[in-house]
Amino acid sequence: MFSKGTKRKFSDGDEDLSDESLVGARVASSYSLQRQSLLDMSLIKLQLCHMLVEPNLCRSVLIANTVRQIQEEMTHDGSWHMVTEAFCGTGQSPSERLVATEVLCRSREQDAEPKLFSVISYEGCREEEVVADETLCSVSVSDTVSNVCLAGRMGQCWEKSELSGVERDEEALEDSREDEEVDTEDGASTEGPKTIGQVFGTFEIKNGSPGPDSALEELFSDVDTSYYDLDTMLTGMQSAPKMGPYDLLDSLAPSHSSPSIVSTPNCRSDLNELDHIMEIIVGS
Amino acid sequence: MGEDGESPKINHSFLRDYVTEADVISTVEFNQTGDLLATGDKGGRVVIFQRETEPKGEPEELGESGEYNVYSTFQSHEPDFDYLKSLEIEEKINKIRWLPQQNAAHFLLSTNDKTIKLWKVSERDKRPEGYNLKDEEGRIKDISTVTSLRVPVLKPTDLMVEVRPRRIFANGHTYHVNSISVNSDGETYLSADDLRINMWHLDITDRSFNIVDIKPANMEDLTEVITAAEFHPHHCHLFVYSSSKGTLRLCDMRESALCDKHSKIFEEPEDPGNRSFFSEIISSVSDVKFSHSGRYLLTRDYLTVKVWDLNMEKGPVETYQVHEYLRSKLCSLYENDCIFDKFECVWNSTDSVIMTGAYNSFFRMFDRETGRGVTLEAWRESSKPRAVLRTRRVYTGGRRRRGDVGVDSLDFTKKILHMAWHPAENIIAIAATNNLYIFQDRVNAENQ
């Protein structure tokens, strides 16, 4: 319910602010805090669509657009790496950090935004893999914090490894998806849009749309592949569009070990942590 | 534009309120004559009210007019389950539209998220009596007891209202149906979901034509959905649909079978001064209505109602602020999801007044000629039947008057989303959660 009278002042009664730059810095950090809160809130809203009744597509699209907008702005500002600190530092819930409503709603000068490649790319979540299975959705719900946390760290690695610079086209990145180097990091960092893709994906009736392996698909058409899709998503394996059950057995072995390709020691420890978290969640 | 001036000339009277058994009303619609008023609720039921006619021969007394009483109630949609997606299909009635009356029976279309149904509402006040083979209770008679033949005759009985489903238009939509609109040709209607618009023939249930499809090849590229659609009141080839990005597209079905390419697009350029993260969300159009004349469009987005001239695409000709004081609260309203509320908007019969809902059981009326707006309240506690509605005000600064409501005191759970205006008279029906309010303008009982 809408809470009454909980407006908090933007400036917390700092009377002795004579230094303009200090004020400016406070404003800026306050703004980015609130922007961060908005991002957190939006991601949580997107996650919490998994009720028994189909969620509202319009609402999901609007929230997703807001998330994209924030991401673009944060990329533009170069403050995307701050996602980690904000998320994993305090562990507070987003609503607690929502300080004041005015600042975030305040109008802001927008420069003409160049078409930026969003740091979080929309990849790997093809429709065929997204099955309207509640377990699939509920797994991703519990993944929220850990995955977004990872997204931040991945973002850091991203910048360092220069794998896909901000200038690169989205199409070019499509090709690089097959590149193993990008795979794991991308898989880990696509928490947000993966969710968005999932959310939109659940709206789609799962048709037997002919994929690249249509013959293979026909062969295994009666096999329930939903569980295998779950595995492929969790292990971040983006290469195969849709694997038959036998293919998956081969890939199950290395799935839980640390991926071999990391660019910095930072990422390796983070990936170990990811595996650990995944194991707990999946309960394997 | 003037705001909330006290208009002593407008004398609104509160006739009665109808409680519809704790079910939230989700749609309200008058038929073409205004004698019937249909409401749909979250439980899938439709309640039809009928206006009492004055006794024959007596002129209408000043101040007396027909009241609306329950005429019929029926269960239109049942809860359903989509086995493919493991999701429930809500039985909530999203929209009701009446068909133009062609004979003694009335027809209406009602829709939930997936299925549209055509219902026939007919009266029966006679029944045949005197069957030869059946007795009065309907049991088959022993044939040996029949000694003579007689012709059954029709005898008057108590009025019985029968409602029967005549057509069921199923499996036409993958996404949630948000609008239905009957065409002026009397034969077809459109149904719109989030990504597609279909055109049906009223007599054919196993086929529909897809006339708009904005679904992207890759669902991850989805950034815009259809929020409402309506046929032009006179031109059977024209229809309009609104989007979540605040655009209106007018389509001409003569141009091509698939109207993905619009004939006209109505879009207001964004005000750079007011830009925020919520700009797109509040620009999403929640309802679009053609004027009765067919010349104008009325749209509702989160903070405003706008009137557009079909001849001018670059922006609305009139903009009215519904609750501008909420602009600084957008973040909180985003948090509690109120920012996604879909308010409807309606024209009066002469297209001179427009009306839309707000929070705290308030609804707003704007006089297009003067540009002035008034705030009224649909709340039982503050009105008695036949009392005059007083105008309300939300305090936003300046001198505070008695009765003003502060912005922080607004009750955001009491939202007026659905409403209807009588097609000929100044009678309005307002749905407030599970209550239906019917108001009538006594001073101007008929239109100028």
Side-chain angles (χ1 to χ4, degrees):
Chain A
M1 293 301 136
F2 180 66
S3 54
K4 301 182 191 175
T6 54
K7 258 169 52 176
R8 294 197 224 172
K9 292 223 167 70
F10 155 58
S11 62
D12 286 301
D14 289 317
E15 296 94 343
D16 348 304
L17 280 176
S18 48
D19 193 0
E20 258 192 38
S21 61
L22 187 61
V23 174
R26 280 178 190 270
V27 171
S29 68
S30 180
Y31 173 80
S32 52
L33 260 180
Q34 274 119 40
R35 184 175 60 185
Q36 181 59 51
S37 299
L38 187 62
L39 179 64
D40 302 343
M41 208 195 324
S42 307
L43 289 171
I44 298 249
K45 278 182 187 297
L46 281 177
Q47 292 284 4
L48 291 175
C49 303
H50 309 291
M51 303 163 285
L52 205 55
V53 182
E54 228 172 320
N56 190 334
L57 182 62
C58 182
R59 178 177 170 274
S60 304
V61 167
L62 289 173
I63 297 173
N65 289 351
T66 309
V67 168
R68 268 194 210 101
Q69 204 185 333
I70 297 175
Q71 286 172 10
E72 277 178 23
E73 195 181 281
M74 286 174 102
T75 312
H76 194 56
D77 287 351
S79 56
W80 183 240
H81 64 280
M82 278 166 61
V83 170
T84 46
E85 299 157 30
F87 232 105
C88 306
T90 53
Q92 280 177 334
S93 66
S95 49
E96 289 166 10
R97 289 206 300 281
L98 195 63
V99 178
T101 63
E102 296 97 12
V103 174
L104 209 49
C105 305
R106 202 197 310 158
S107 56
R108 198 168 175 276
E109 287 258 337
Q110 280 288 329
D111 332 329
E113 288 175 16
K115 186 176 190 299
L116 288 175
F117 167 67
S118 177
V119 172
I120 287 186
S121 62
Y122 288 73
E123 61 185 45
C125 199
R126 296 181 187 77
E127 270 171 28
E128 300 87 60
E129 291 180 359
V130 177
V131 183
D133 188 354
E134 267 198 285
T135 45
L136 183 74
C137 300
S138 52
V139 168
S140 57
V141 170
S142 48
D143 276 350
T144 313
V145 176
S146 55
N147 277 355
V148 178
C149 181
L150 202 64
R153 294 203 185 108
M154 285 304 108
Q156 208 165 19
C157 301
W158 197 294
E159 283 175 40
K160 287 178 186 171
S161 60
E162 306 172 338
L163 274 169
S164 32
V166 177
E167 310 82 67
R168 204 197 283 198
D169 220 5
E170 250 178 289
E171 266 120 42
L173 193 71
E174 286 250 356
D175 302 328
S176 71
R177 275 181 212 178
E178 305 310 304
D179 186 1
E180 288 225 355
E181 278 206 14
V182 186
D183 263 335
T184 317
E185 292 179 355
D186 292 345
S189 66
T190 51
E191 202 291 314
K194 187 172 289 186
T195 315
I196 292 170
Q198 276 171 22
V199 166
F200 295 158
T202 59
F203 293 103
E204 186 62 19
I205 286 179
K206 188 168 184 285
N207 305 322
S209 49
D213 303 319
S214 49
L216 196 66
E217 272 195 44
E218 273 176 48
L219 212 53
F220 297 117
S221 57
D222 57 339
V223 175
D224 174 24
T225 54
S226 54
Y227 220 120
Y228 305 122
D229 294 336
L230 176 69
D231 258 335
T232 57
M233 193 202 74
L234 286 180
T235 56
M237 284 151 62
Q238 307 299 330
S239 41
K242 194 163 191 170
M243 293 184 280
Y246 300 128
D247 292 338
L248 200 65
L249 287 176
D250 299 330
S251 48
L252 270 178
S255 67
H256 288 295
S257 59
S258 310
S260 48
I261 21 79
V262 280
S263 47
T264 67
N266 239 352
C267 297
R268 181 173 290 132
S269 59
D270 293 341
L271 287 164
N272 282 336
E273 215 178 285
L274 169 67
D275 280 335
H276 181 62
I277 293 169
M278 290 301 177
E279 278 179 35
I280 295 170
I281 290 166
V282 175
S284 58
Chain B
M1 278 153 210
E3 262 295 319
D4 283 325
E6 301 281 40
S7 321
K9 288 186 291 228
I10 301 176
N11 178 7
H12 299 279
S13 298
F14 181 14
L15 288 179
R16 188 170 298 188
D17 76 341
Y18 301 87
V19 178
T20 54
E21 298 322 321
D23 259 3
V24 175
I25 301 174
S26 48
T27 184
V28 188
E29 184 79 355
F30 281 101
N31 73 338
Q32 277 77 7
T33 60
D35 288 335
L36 295 176
L37 174 65
T39 63
D41 64 22
K42 268 188 88 176
R45 284 177 310 169
V46 172
V47 181
I48 303 178
F49 298 86
Q50 188 187 43
R51 193 176 186 190
E52 271 177 23
T53 51
E54 294 83 27
K56 295 193 183 91
E58 290 194 18
E60 187 187 312
E61 261 183 53
L62 190 69
E64 288 297 321
S65 72
E67 295 181 349
Y68 285 84
N69 296 314
V70 177
Y71 178 64
S72 173
T73 304
F74 62 96
Q75 187 75 32
S76 170
H77 287 74
E78 299 277 358
D80 204 349
F81 196 78
D82 183 336
Y83 296 96
L84 205 56
K85 296 196 227 176
S86 293
L87 292 169
E88 280 183 5
I89 299 173
E90 278 192 317
E91 67 272 28
K92 172 168 76 96
I93 308 294
N94 292 336
K95 281 287 184 305
I96 290 175
R97 290 286 182 262
W98 291 92
L99 266 57
Q101 193 176 10
Q102 288 177 329
N103 51 37
H106 294 98
F107 288 86
L108 63 80
L109 286 169
S110 71
T111 183
N112 69 346
D113 284 338
K114 298 287 181 185
T115 305
I116 305 132
K117 294 188 182 179
L118 177 68
W119 293 91
K120 178 178 176 183
V121 184
S122 48
E123 287 181 8
R124 187 191 290 201
D125 59 355
K126 297 180 185 51
R127 51 170 251 155
E129 278 180 17
Y131 283 107
N132 291 298
L133 297 175
K134 286 190 289 186
D135 65 15
E136 296 307 307
E137 277 84 46
R139 290 188 295 251
I140 306 289
K141 274 190 198 166
D142 183 5
I143 217 158
S144 54
T145 64
V146 177
T147 52
S148 62
L149 289 177
R150 57 193 171 155
V151 178
V153 291
L154 289 173
K155 292 259 173 71
T157 61
D158 295 333
L159 179 65
M160 218 175 39
V161 180
E162 280 187 336
V163 183
R164 287 218 176 87
R166 297 300 300 213
R167 306 268 187 273
I168 297 181
F169 304 92
N171 304 317
H173 290 279
T174 308
Y175 305 98
H176 292 181
V177 176
N178 52 53
S179 316
I180 46 176
S181 177
V182 183
N183 205 347
S184 51
D185 65 6
E187 291 185 345
T188 57
Y189 73 95
L190 64 75
S191 58
D193 66 30
D194 295 316
L195 297 178
R196 298 192 178 99
I197 301 181
N198 292 337
M199 190 167 94
W200 306 78
H201 191 284
L202 284 165
D203 290 334
I204 300 171
T205 59
D206 60 355
R207 243 177 303 148
S208 74
F209 289 101
N210 176 239
I211 51 178
V212 172
D213 188 341
I214 64 167
K215 178 171 177 285
N218 188 352
M219 278 295 270
E220 289 159 18
D221 298 334
L222 181 65
T223 56
E224 192 173 8
V225 299
I226 298 171
T227 51
E230 198 181 51
F231 267 121
H232 192 281
H234 310 309
H235 301 299
C236 55
H237 52 87
L238 285 180
F239 66 94
V240 71
Y241 70 92
S242 60
S243 81
S244 57
K245 288 203 167 158
T247 62
L248 304 169
R249 287 179 175 84
L250 185 74
C251 299
D252 189 333
M253 294 195 288
R254 298 172 301 186
E255 284 178 7
S256 71
L258 190 61
C259 296
D260 280 359
K261 193 165 156 308
H262 50 263
S263 297
K264 288 192 184 184
I265 181 162
F266 299 83
E267 212 170 352
E268 186 174 24
E270 204 179 352
D271 175 13
N274 261 339
R275 180 127 173 72
S276 73
F277 284 117
F278 306 106
S279 295
E280 186 184 314
I281 300 180
I282 62 170
S283 72
S284 171
V285 174
S286 55
D287 194 16
V288 65
K289 293 268 172 42
F290 274 101
S291 64
H292 291 91
S293 61
R295 164 122 186 240
Y296 296 99
L297 282 169
L298 178 66
T299 61
R300 174 72 154 97
D301 51 64
Y302 192 63
L303 296 179
T304 69
V305 279
K306 296 182 165 120
V307 177
W308 306 72
D309 186 326
L310 279 184
N311 302 315
M312 191 172 94
E313 298 166 69
K314 65 176 188 330
V317 290
E318 294 157 30
T319 302
Y320 301 91
Q321 303 294 336
V322 180
H323 38 206
E324 177 67 12
Y325 45 80
L326 294 184
R327 192 178 287 274
S328 56
K329 309 277 179 200
L330 290 178
C331 204
S332 308
L333 294 165
Y334 178 73
E335 194 178 359
N336 63 18
D337 269 3
C338 281
I339 208 174
F340 301 108
D341 286 335
K342 293 197 190 301
F343 293 95
E344 290 174 10
C345 52
V346 290
W347 297 88
N348 75 335
S349 52
T350 55
D351 300 336
S352 58
V353 178
I354 56 184
M355 181 171 71
T356 188
Y359 293 107
N360 209 63
S361 306
F362 288 166
F363 58 99
R364 303 265 282 147
M365 271 195 212
F366 299 96
D367 184 335
R368 290 183 64 209
E369 282 149 35
T370 63
R372 291 163 79 87
V374 72
T375 304
L376 300 163
E377 190 179 17
W379 182 233
R380 211 175 344 162
E381 303 296 324
S382 57
S383 323
K384 301 188 189 63
R386 301 184 184 280
V388 174
L389 267 185
R390 60 191 178 97
T391 58
R392 304 302 311 270
R393 222 170 73 117
V394 177
Y395 176 67
T396 53
R399 192 170 69 89
R400 186 162 189 151
R401 291 190 227 155
R402 192 168 60 95
D404 280 3
V405 182
V407 179
D408 288 328
S409 319
L410 293 173
D411 189 342
F412 288 85
T413 60
K414 296 199 173 67
K415 23 193 138 194
I416 307 284
L417 302 172
H418 311 290
M419 49 186 33
W421 201 305
H422 191 286
E425 300 181 33
N426 279 347
I427 303 174
I428 56 178
I430 310 278
T433 326
N434 59 341
N435 292 336
L436 178 70
Y437 293 83
I438 299 182
F439 300 93
Q440 184 175 5
D441 186 354
R442 287 298 177 78
V443 171
N444 300 308
E446 287 163 24
N447 295 307
Q448 312 89 320

